[in-house]
Amino acid sequence: MHLEGIEPLTKLNSSDDSTSEKSLDEFENWGGLGKPNIPVFPKCCESKNKRKRNTTYMEKTPEIDRILQKKNTRSNLNTLLINGNIATPLHVAKQRYIVMNTCPFDALAVIITMAYTDFKTNTVFVDSSENNMLRFCKSLALYGPTKKTYTDRLELLKPIFKSSHDISRINVIDARCNVSFVATKLLVNAPSAIEKIRCTTDGCNNKNKDIESPTLILRFKNVKNLQKSLDNYTKEQVYECGYCYKSLSSRRTVMNHLLIETDTLPENQSIPLSMFPIQLEANTVKYVYNF
């Protein structure tokens, strides 16, 4: 039987190599319905000129580069922490842990560490503090990041975040939050301010009450008015007591460091660091903006 388009078997066995090679390129064409064996790739494999989405993520930020390259401070990049997302599992008490999304914690830790190194008054304050977060930052400033540093970070975050288990029986802690949340949880006994509430009625629940604030929530729409907002924050306020309905006074006293929340600003508003005031003053004490 002879198939059209394919050389006879006798020719395939002949010594004519060129003819033999040519026959391999032929295709079956029975009844004129044959098609060449040309591979057809699916459309999904075709290259498409997709328009890339504009983004500034991971692009260089001149302001941050300028801060990191400052020579007038004694702190340096040796105090930077590795994000838990790219760190190896930690072994604690025969358990394995992975701490994810540690950016907020790391940012707060590095800020406090830089202040400890660069400002003598802050060094004295941290040295005398029993706060575990401040002790962590002191160790980071003195010795840099070590294996124990990441174990200590785990111990600080375990009580405030839930732990889950993956298929490999590794404890996974997702520390996704904002810096304010970390501060309110870990700096409770090292607050930014203390509000002293005094009621004129004896025996009232507000007779003599102190409320510690890890962060300052100031009302401002423009960072240029930050000093004015801080002045209003520390002014004595007189209003009606919620328990006895008599006169009550309240005054906030700022402490050694000020962590000011900026969540009151519009979410999409971008503010250059250069717009923030370098120095603030409260209760006759001057505070330097540490960034």
Side-chain angles (χ1 to χ4, degrees), residues 39-57:
V40 179
F41 297 98
K43 293 183 178 181
C44 62
C45 297
E46 296 177 358
S47 60
K48 296 181 180 180
N49 295 326
K50 294 184 178 180
R51 183 179 179 182
K52 294 184 178 180
R53 181 170 60 90
N54 294 328
T55 177
T56 58
Y57 183 68

Side-chain angles (χ1 to χ4, degrees), residues 14-27:
S14 66
S15 59
D16 190 351
D17 293 338
S18 61
T19 304
S20 177
E21 292 178 359
K22 181 180 178 181
S23 66
L24 296 177
D25 297 331
E26 299 294 337
F27 60 93

